[in-house]
Amino acid sequence: MSITRRHALAAAAATVLLALSGMADAAEMVRIGLPTKTYWPTTIAETAVRQKLFEKEGITAELTIYRGGAETFEAMAAGAADVILDASSLVSAGRKKGVMSKVVANAAMGYYGWQLMVLAKSPLDVKDLNSKKVAITSAGSGSDMLALWTIANKKIDFTRVPVGGGGLVPNLLAGNVDAAVVYSPLSFQIQKSGEARTLIDYTAAVPANLTGGWIVPDKFAEAKPQLVQKALNALYGAVAFMRSNREATVKLIADLYEIPPEIAGLEYENTIMKLESDGDMSKPNIRDAVQLSMDLAKLGGLKDIMPTEELYSTQFKPVPTKP
């Protein structure tokens, strides 16, 4: 091969490498906020990362895990997160204060695995929690909403103690609180171990409503709609992958949260398989589901609720990314 020929090939190869490098540099990043570690939104996002679903959409993702739903929403309000998983009630409260965001994809229609729990040896029943201390993740979070719902529904009163997602079980087991609103798979784990028992199973007790959705600031959705679409595609691609790959998903849950495979299996069957698979906010039942979540929030003490139509957007329809 002539020197000229070799030089030409080398130059062509260099051009390709520079182009690929430029593409990598140009890949937009989406910052995803997650409400706590040992929780199904984290499982979804981690699956999307590990299956390279964001990469297949031509974007990169930065995952940040917070101490609860309220802290996650505050991060978005402060400009530290672009897409978050949170309760629609926070969207209402936020818009009232000038934090303009909307639910752009439905993630869950129930409080799957959420339970009001006490120590197994505790003699307390629900009515006995009057004037007691009950652990929640943070004020304004899903756990706080369920605690407030319990107060209103059961006509009792107790002190809500914010301890963060990672503090629910340790504070309950240490006896620092009398009860705790615990999410899965932690609820399954301490129930199975015999350390705690359930007073209220919120999956059955609370009517089906939009309990969690992917939320985006209005300005971000307007400025970067394609990035939002690609992020949602990857996240719902992860849901599709999990639903079709039980063994891999159970292993991921067990590894991520350092729990026995048996507990991870319970999380898979009772939570993962019940999540919304397409996130479509234009379905006929969505408005009623959002309205019911607002009614429950109002019952739980949320005031000045915004009109339902202002809380969600039908702009996006996720197209699950294939692995």
Side-chain angles (χ1 to χ4, degrees), residues 115-284:
Q115 299 176 27
L116 178 64
M117 309 189 80
V118 295
L119 290 176
K121 62 183 179 182
S122 171
L124 298 177
D125 198 351
V126 176
K127 65 181 185 301
D128 301 318
L129 293 180
N130 209 42
S131 301
K132 303 295 185 181
K133 294 186 294 184
V134 176
I136 60 171
T137 58
S138 57
S141 65
S143 59
D144 191 23
M145 200 58 58
L146 288 174
L148 288 168
W149 177 87
T150 303
I151 288 172
N153 187 265
K154 302 302 180 181
K155 296 179 173 55
I156 57 176
D157 194 17
F158 50 72
T159 301
R160 293 147 23 240
V161 183
V163 296
L168 289 174
V169 171
N171 277 282
L172 176 63
L173 297 184
N176 297 330
V177 293
D178 301 289
V181 179
V182 187
Y183 54 86
S184 67
L186 297 178
S187 57
F188 300 143
Q189 185 173 17
I190 59 175
Q191 184 182 59
K192 190 72 175 178
S193 69
E195 295 171 289
R197 61 184 178 85
T198 300
L199 297 184
I200 298 177
D201 178 355
Y202 291 112
T203 305
V206 179
N209 66 97
L210 197 153
T211 58
W214 296 102
I215 299 168
V216 175
D218 291 358
K219 287 185 178 179
F220 190 77
E222 293 168 5
K224 297 188 176 183
Q226 291 184 337
L227 182 54
V228 174
Q229 182 67 55
K230 291 176 180 179
L232 293 176
N233 291 348
L235 291 167
Y236 283 88
V239 174
F241 175 85
M242 291 190 298
R243 291 169 68 91
S244 300
N245 294 271
R246 185 186 192 281
E247 184 177 348
T249 303
V250 168
K251 184 178 186 307
L252 175 63
I253 294 170
D255 292 346
L256 272 179
Y257 310 134
E258 299 179 346
I259 59 177
E262 180 184 8
I263 303 302
L266 290 174
E267 171 70 353
Y268 183 84
E269 299 295 342
N270 294 284
T271 301
I272 300 301
M273 291 301 292
K274 294 181 180 180
L275 299 177
E276 296 300 298
S277 60
D278 61 15
D280 186 0
M281 296 296 290
S282 65
K283 289 182 176 179

Side-chain angles (χ1 to χ4, degrees), residues 102-106 214-216 221 228 232 279 281 312-313 316 318:
K102 289 186 175 73
V103 181
V104 297
N106 180 17
W214 296 102
I215 299 168
V216 175
V228 174
L232 293 176
M281 296 296 290
Y312 69 97
S313 169
F316 304 97

